[in-house]
Structures are given as structure tokens and as C-alpha cells.
Amino acid sequence: MARAKVTPEQILREAARLFAIKGFHGTSTREIAEAVGVRQPSLFHHFATKHDIAQALYAYDYARSPGLQGVREVPDGTPAAVELYQTVRREILVEMTSAYDLRGLYLSALIDEPEFARWHAAYHAAMAHSRAVIERGIADGEFADTRAHVVTEMLDATINQAVRWSGAQRERSMPDDVAVLALRLVIARPSRIPAVRRAADRLLEAAGTPWETELDQLAG
């Protein structure tokens, strides 16, 4: 029986899995080909180099992440607590519904390499914006005085880990649950969190992207 042709998606899935386990530089194209079940020439038919595979994975994540694209889902003047809440739950949803385990792209120094300068710039711009939102919340008195850069790094690590969540961790409530925990790290008055969530829901409803509809992605 003839073997089914390998697809780029199969290659990306296995490569991403190996990058997360062994690191980009610790993974060879031979190992990727073996994981997919093809010879290296078949792999190279789709991706000429291992760097091309990483480029495709970065591009996939960028296309799905408002944060990486620099797209704000809330209008100017939105309170920092509402913006942070929406940012966190959106990026958690993005990672929970990712077809690929992208931890190997971000939880390492790979993104700092010159070949990935475009993705480096997008990633650090997203991180800088999140930090600025937290700093704005501190200045406005919404958030307690805290180390904004530390909170930003903690949230980034949590978002990247979300791709591994399964079972009960994939419940519809998870993006909001994590956003609530994120706010608890910084908000001066935790009793305001339910009102913050309602405000975020109203903004998305007004924009034509109701959050409950967005959560339907988790059913896939």
C-alpha cells in the first residue's frame, strides 16, 4: 500500500513537538523526518531548512495572536484592568487552540537569533505593551504598586504553557479563570474583578465578537 503523502502541517506538528522537548538546536532534520515517517528529501520538499520550519511556526502564531500583531481588542481609554483581563484571556485561548506546541519558539533564546528578527520585534513589542498596561494601572491607582516587568514575565510563561493543557484544563472557563488570576496579582481591589470581566464582555459584544462565541473554538 502506498504511503500517504506527508503534509506541511504534519511536519510542523512533529517539529514543534521536538523543539519543545529537545530545543531547536538540539533537534535535527533527520529526527523530524523520522518522527513524521518520511525520508529527509520528502521533508526538504516542503521546507528547505530547519530555520524555514521555525519561520513557518512563528508565522502561524503571529497570524492568530492579536498581541503579536499589535492589535488592541479594546478602545483607547479602556481601564488598564479591563485591557489586561482581555489580553490575557485572548492569548490563553490562542495557545489552548494552537495546532502546534510552540514553547520551543519562545521559552528559549531562539527568538533572539538574527534570522528571526521580525518575530523578535513583534514578541518584544507585545511584552512591552503588556508591561505598559500594568504600569498605567499602577499610575491610575487600579493596580497595587508592583514590579510590572516581573508580572509580565509570569503571564508570558503561563500563556506559553497553555498549549499543553488538556482534559479538564480545556474547559471553557479556563481563559477567564487565568485572566482572573492575572488580575489578582496586581489589582488593588479584588472585589472589582467581576465588574472588570463584565466590562470586557460588553466591549467584545459591541465589537461584534462576543466572548462566548469565541470560546466555541475550544470545542474543536
Side-chain angles (χ1 to χ4, degrees), residues 132-178:
V133 170
I134 295 170
E135 290 171 341
R136 173 162 57 87
I138 294 170
D140 291 346
E142 282 192 278
F143 297 161
D145 191 6
T146 189
R147 297 181 186 273
H149 70 284
V150 174
V151 175
T152 303
E153 294 286 348
M154 291 173 63
L155 295 178
D156 181 58
T158 301
I159 289 167
N160 277 294
Q161 189 63 27
V163 74
R164 297 287 295 169
W165 294 347
S166 60
Q169 291 177 310
R170 285 186 59 83
E171 292 179 355
R172 289 172 68 93
S173 66
M174 282 302 292
D176 283 285
D177 290 346
V178 176

Side-chain angles (χ1 to χ4, degrees), residues 81-160:
V82 177
E83 182 165 1
L84 181 64
Y85 186 93
Q86 179 55 35
T87 297
V88 171
R89 70 176 179 176
R90 170 63 70 188
E91 295 303 323
I92 288 288
L93 181 61
V94 165
E95 294 308 316
M96 287 181 69
T97 55
S98 175
Y100 311 117
D101 184 343
L102 302 172
R103 292 175 300 161
L105 301 185
Y106 297 105
L107 301 180
S108 71
L110 178 65
I111 199 169
D112 296 324
E113 297 186 8
E115 295 91 334
F116 307 115
R118 176 187 175 189
W119 315 120
H120 177 279
Y123 171 72
H124 284 281
M127 293 285 284
H129 180 72
S130 294
R131 179 173 177 174
V133 170
I134 295 170
E135 290 171 341
R136 173 162 57 87
I138 294 170
D140 291 346
E142 282 192 278
F143 297 161
D145 191 6
T146 189
R147 297 181 186 273
H149 70 284
V150 174
V151 175
T152 303
E153 294 286 348
M154 291 173 63
L155 295 178
D156 181 58
T158 301
I159 289 167
N160 277 294

Side-chain angles (χ1 to χ4, degrees), residues 16-40:
R17 182 182 64 82
L18 288 169
F19 294 164
I21 295 170
K22 303 183 64 175
F24 177 81
H25 292 295
T27 301
S28 68
T29 53
R30 182 180 299 277
E31 289 173 311
I32 296 170
E34 289 176 353
V36 176
V38 299
R39 296 180 182 275
Q40 284 193 82

